[in-house]
């Protein structure tokens, strides 16, 4: 009898708890009724740059007509949890930053990392020793030091570390930082060269794994907590700069036999380990090989990817992101690098560069991506420095001769997401009725819905924003992007 009574009590407690939980969920369900919509707009051939352009209201929605353009938001369907948007502080960014006058340094930091004055970056990437966007190739050890006895990060103390610390401070004291290597030291490689590809020699697998942990501990000792690491930047590309080839099987085995166990042994098992860190084209194969191996997969937080797969002349492979999201729902997807290649100062204000960011961000988020990291946050008036001449665009450039900052359309396009979508937001089901528009939505923890709409056409578009049973009518300029907060 006692057992029955206890079981009954437990059942009643469970039912009560479930009922309370259900009520909590219902009380947090989103309704657009009586809400006001604040509209922020940037558009080509106008002065609109993240400018508040309207405050709108909702009214009851009816069946939209086929001749109308509509954006549909379904608040009852939510997906991945957002972690942040940011960019990379490379050696190049830090060297250029150091040349700016103090007032411009302050302006720059606020522009990226201040949530009110700027676009509120909330993620940060940096490199483990040199990349192409360094003034020279270097490592943190003397060549041939397999035991890493000479390991030190003195090189980074001059420019990079001060800039990272300033970014963290401007962001409010917390800024998740993850790090990526471009190449092991030359002596550890099959080519005895940090540049032009080559592979990591098996006899140095453990030494190279130790190198990551040395770097993490050295940076954390300087007061810069490391959130995560990627195994290898662009592991299938033989570049003229620092690069190293890892096949899917090689990365899998390095992760499960060396890097993963070493991170755990060194007390760094809580750091996120990100595989692939390369283009969308081959990401499904890499996911299949690594995530299908339980011993390797247990160390992998998720997969990073870049946007350069169109080097072959094809289109962006957004569907591959979705396939990994669907096939491995327990793994996270993070956009780890993108930039506009082939710097040309005449194209600072080339609007299509910004649109490339908007198109990628909307598609990547709609396909399951949890965060998005741009490449260099700052470059000079030559698109560098870069020790192999691989000059590129950044969202902000500095004319170091004039001591001035140049804001490009890419900065504003990124800002339409990073300024308004906050950590732990949930992506919300969003679709459009015409291919002229692209759209994505997130609901922030504070209950505010954020819908981003992008117009890819040469004409302004009037569209319905339909959120469940509520509707508003919005006008977006030609080649414009809008963030609607409601």
């Amino acid at each position: 009898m006692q057992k029955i009574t206890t079981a009954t009590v437990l059942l009643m407690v469970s039912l009560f708890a479930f009922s309370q939980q259900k009520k909590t969920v219902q009380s947090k369900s989103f309704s657009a009724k009586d809400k006001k919509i604040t509209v922020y707009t940037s558009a080509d051939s106008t002065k609109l740059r993240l400018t508040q352009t309207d405050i709108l209201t909702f009214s009851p929605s009816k069946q939209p007509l086929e001749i109308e353009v509509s954006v549909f938001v379904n608040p009852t369907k939510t997906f991945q949890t957002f972690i942040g948007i940011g960019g990379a502080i490379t050696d190049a960014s830090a060297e250029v930053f150091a040349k700016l006058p103090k007032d411009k340094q302050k302006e720059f930091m606020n522009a990226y990392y201040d949530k009110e004055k700027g676009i509120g970056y909330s993620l940060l990437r940096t490199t483990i020793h040199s990349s192409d966007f360094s003034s020279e190739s270097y490592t943190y050890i003397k060549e041939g030091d397999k035991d890493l006895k000479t390991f030190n990060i003195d090189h980074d103390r001059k420019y990079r570390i001060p800039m990272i610390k300033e970014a963290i401070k401007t962001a409010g004291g917390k800024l998740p930082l993850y790090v990526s290597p471009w190449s092991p030291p030359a002596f550890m490689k099959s080519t005895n060269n940090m540049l032009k590809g080559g592979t990591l020699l098996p006899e140095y697998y453990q030494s190279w794994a130790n190198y990551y942990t040395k770097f993490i501990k050295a940076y954390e000792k300087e007061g810069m907590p490391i959130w995560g690491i990627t195994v290898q930047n662009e592991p299938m590309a033989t570049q003229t700069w620092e690069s190293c080839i890892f096949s899917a099987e090689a990365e899998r085995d390095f992760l499960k036999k060396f890097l993963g166990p070493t991170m755990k042994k060194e007390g760094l098992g809580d750091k996120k380990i990100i595989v692939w860190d390369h283009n969308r084209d081959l990401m499904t194969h890499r996911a299949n090989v690594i995530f299908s191996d339980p011993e390797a997969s247990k160390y992998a937080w998720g997969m990073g990817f870049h946007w350069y797969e169109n080097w072959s002349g094809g289109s962006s492979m957004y569907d591959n992101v979705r396939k990994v999201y669907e096939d491995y729902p327990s793994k996270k997807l993070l956009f780890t690098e993108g930039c506009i290649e082939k710097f040309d100062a005449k194209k600072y204000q080339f609007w299509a560069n910004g649109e490339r960011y908007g198109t990628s961000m909307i598609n990547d988020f709609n396909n399951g991506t949890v965060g998005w990291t741009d490449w260099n946050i700052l470059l000079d008036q030559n698109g560098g420095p870069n020790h192999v001449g691989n000059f590129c665009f950044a969202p902000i450039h500095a004319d170091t001769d004039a001591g001035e900052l140049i804001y490009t359309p890419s900065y504003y396009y990124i800002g339409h997401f990073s300024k308004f979508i906050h950590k732990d937001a949930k992506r919300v089901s969003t679709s459009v009725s015409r291919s002229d528009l692209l759209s994505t939505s997130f609901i922030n923890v504070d209950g505010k819905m954020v819908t981003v709409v992008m117009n890819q056409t040469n004409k302004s578009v009037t569209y319905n924003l339909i959120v469940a049973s509520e509707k508003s009518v919005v006008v977006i300029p030609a080649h414009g992007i809008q963030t609607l907060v409601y």
Side-chain angles (χ1 to χ4, degrees), residues 28 30 81-82 420-427 442-450:
K28 288 185 177 179
F30 182 87
T81 301
F82 177 81
F420 303 101
I421 306 168
H422 303 148
K423 186 179 182 297
D424 295 326
K426 288 275 191 185
R427 181 172 66 87
F442 284 81
I443 186 162
N444 286 322
V445 174
D446 65 3
K448 290 277 190 181
M449 187 76 76
V450 177

Side-chain angles (χ1 to χ4, degrees), residues 318-331:
Y318 300 120
D319 271 357
N320 285 347
V321 181
R322 177 180 54 80
K323 287 183 173 74
V324 175
Y325 177 64
E326 291 173 347
D327 291 351
Y328 303 97
S330 67
K331 299 302 182 185

Side-chain angles (χ1 to χ4, degrees), residues 65-83:
L65 302 176
E66 286 187 321
I67 58 172
E68 297 177 304
V69 180
S70 297
V71 174
F72 303 104
V73 179
N74 181 356
T76 67
K77 301 295 182 184
T78 60
F79 302 93
Q80 77 272 20
T81 301
F82 177 81
I83 64 169

Side-chain angles (χ1 to χ4, degrees), residues 360-378:
S360 179
M361 294 178 83
I362 289 172
N363 278 285
D364 290 336
F365 286 132
N366 283 345
N367 286 312
T369 301
V370 301
W372 213 93
T373 322
D374 185 37
W375 187 208
N376 303 277
I377 63 170
L378 177 67

Side-chain angles (χ1 to χ4, degrees), residues 14 21 31 68 89 104 109 124 134 210 269 303 399 401-402 441:
S14 297
Q21 186 181 30
S31 171
E68 297 177 304
I89 292 183
K104 291 297 175 179
M109 280 293 162
L124 177 57
S134 303
N210 293 341
M303 171 169 280
D399 182 332
D401 294 332
S441 298

Side-chain angles (χ1 to χ4, degrees), residues 259-381:
L259 184 58
T262 301
M263 292 283 286
K264 186 176 180 182
K265 180 185 173 186
E266 292 296 320
L268 302 172
D270 61 327
K271 309 303 180 189
K272 315 303 184 190
I273 301 180
I274 300 159
V275 302
W276 187 226
D277 200 8
H278 203 168
N279 298 328
R280 300 182 188 99
D281 49 5
L282 297 178
M283 67 187 292
T284 56
H285 173 258
R286 189 71 44 140
N288 291 337
V289 171
I290 297 177
F291 297 156
S292 296
D293 184 310
E295 285 303 305
S297 182
K298 72 182 183 183
Y299 294 114
W301 172 82
M303 171 169 280
F305 64 95
H306 301 181
W307 73 10
Y308 309 110
E309 66 269 12
N310 58 4
W311 66 268
S312 63
S315 302
S316 298
M317 307 291 289
Y318 300 120
D319 271 357
N320 285 347
V321 181
R322 177 180 54 80
K323 287 183 173 74
V324 175
Y325 177 64
E326 291 173 347
D327 291 351
Y328 303 97
S330 67
K331 299 302 182 185
K332 308 301 183 192
L333 287 161
L334 178 65
F335 184 91
T336 46
E337 186 187 313
C339 75
I340 306 296
E341 311 92 329
K342 298 177 182 176
F343 177 77
D344 178 355
K346 294 174 186 173
K347 291 189 172 183
Y348 273 136
Q349 302 307 326
F350 185 54
W351 200 257
N353 288 349
E355 291 185 320
R356 183 176 174 187
Y357 276 85
T359 302
S360 179
M361 294 178 83
I362 289 172
N363 278 285
D364 290 336
F365 286 132
N366 283 345
N367 286 312
T369 301
V370 301
W372 213 93
T373 322
D374 185 37
W375 187 208
N376 303 277
I377 63 170
L378 177 67
L379 293 172
D380 66 15
Q381 65 270 30

